[in-house]
Amino acid sequence: QVQLVESGGGLVQAGGSLRLSCVASGRVLRIDGMGWYRQAPGKQRELVATITYGGTTVYADSVKGRFTISRDNAKNTVYLQMNSLKPEDTAVYYCHADLTVITGTRVDYWGQGTQVTVSS
């Protein structure tokens, strides 16, 4: 099995910063794509940022210039540095990993989510 554990969420004022972390563990051979998605109440889950094993990144237009995704392959960890936070960033943030397990099968997993709340 694979586990994704997120941390770093919390309550911040507008303009503040948070750094989210997600650690993958279990029978993992290689973690390929990793990323962050978010879901606000009453809205669809949306992509925030993704990063490939080689470091290629994709960002939602709404977070470009404010958020930075990075990863540490040795630690099977992905990070999301969030700066200049806005109230509209308030959501549950979910870690996602597209990975290859020990048997050679490619699978994807979601974390349980971490709440980010930005006050005005």
Side-chain angles (χ1 to χ4, degrees), residues 16 19 27 57 68 75:
R19 185 173 185 254
R27 302 183 65 81
T57 58
T68 302
K75 297 181 178 180

mmCIF file of all heavy atoms in Angstrom, residues 16 19 27 57 68 75:
data_model
loop_
_atom_site.group_PDB
_atom_site.id
_atom_site.type_symbol
_atom_site.label_atom_id
_atom_site.label_comp_id
_atom_site.label_asym_id
_atom_site.label_seq_id
_atom_site.Cartn_x
_atom_site.Cartn_y
_atom_site.Cartn_z
ATOM 1 N N GLY A 16 -0.365 36.569 3.849
ATOM 2 C CA GLY A 16 0.559 35.704 4.548
ATOM 3 C C GLY A 16 1.007 34.528 3.708
ATOM 4 O O GLY A 16 0.665 34.408 2.530
ATOM 5 N N ARG A 19 3.477 26.841 3.955
ATOM 6 C CA ARG A 19 4.222 25.843 3.199
ATOM 7 C C ARG A 19 3.642 24.465 3.488
ATOM 8 O O ARG A 19 3.690 23.996 4.624
ATOM 9 C CB ARG A 19 5.706 25.869 3.566
ATOM 10 C CG ARG A 19 6.593 24.924 2.740
ATOM 11 C CD ARG A 19 8.058 25.153 3.073
ATOM 12 N NE ARG A 19 8.975 24.377 2.252
ATOM 13 C CZ ARG A 19 9.641 23.304 2.680
ATOM 14 N NH1 ARG A 19 9.491 22.878 3.926
ATOM 15 N NH2 ARG A 19 10.465 22.674 1.860
ATOM 16 N N ARG A 27 5.157 0.815 -0.505
ATOM 17 C CA ARG A 27 5.863 0.017 -1.492
ATOM 18 C C ARG A 27 5.985 0.784 -2.803
ATOM 19 O O ARG A 27 5.378 0.431 -3.819
ATOM 20 C CB ARG A 27 5.153 -1.321 -1.679
ATOM 21 C CG ARG A 27 5.036 -2.126 -0.381
ATOM 22 C CD ARG A 27 4.391 -3.478 -0.595
ATOM 23 N NE ARG A 27 5.201 -4.353 -1.429
ATOM 24 C CZ ARG A 27 6.244 -5.063 -0.992
ATOM 25 N NH1 ARG A 27 6.593 -5.008 0.272
ATOM 26 N NH2 ARG A 27 6.918 -5.830 -1.828
ATOM 27 N N THR A 57 7.059 21.869 -14.180
ATOM 28 C CA THR A 57 5.936 22.314 -13.356
ATOM 29 C C THR A 57 4.791 22.851 -14.195
ATOM 30 O O THR A 57 4.981 23.356 -15.305
ATOM 31 C CB THR A 57 6.374 23.401 -12.367
ATOM 32 O OG1 THR A 57 6.931 24.508 -13.088
ATOM 33 C CG2 THR A 57 7.417 22.860 -11.404
ATOM 34 N N THR A 68 4.749 28.156 -5.345
ATOM 35 C CA THR A 68 5.859 27.429 -5.935
ATOM 36 C C THR A 68 5.810 25.981 -5.483
ATOM 37 O O THR A 68 5.769 25.703 -4.285
ATOM 38 C CB THR A 68 7.213 28.037 -5.535
ATOM 39 O OG1 THR A 68 7.275 29.407 -5.939
ATOM 40 C CG2 THR A 68 8.352 27.275 -6.211
ATOM 41 N N LYS A 75 13.400 12.028 -0.572
ATOM 42 C CA LYS A 75 12.483 11.938 0.561
ATOM 43 C C LYS A 75 11.056 11.602 0.145
ATOM 44 O O LYS A 75 10.171 11.534 1.000
ATOM 45 C CB LYS A 75 12.478 13.252 1.344
ATOM 46 C CG LYS A 75 13.808 13.612 1.980
ATOM 47 C CD LYS A 75 13.705 14.918 2.746
ATOM 48 C CE LYS A 75 15.016 15.269 3.421
ATOM 49 N NZ LYS A 75 14.925 16.555 4.165
#
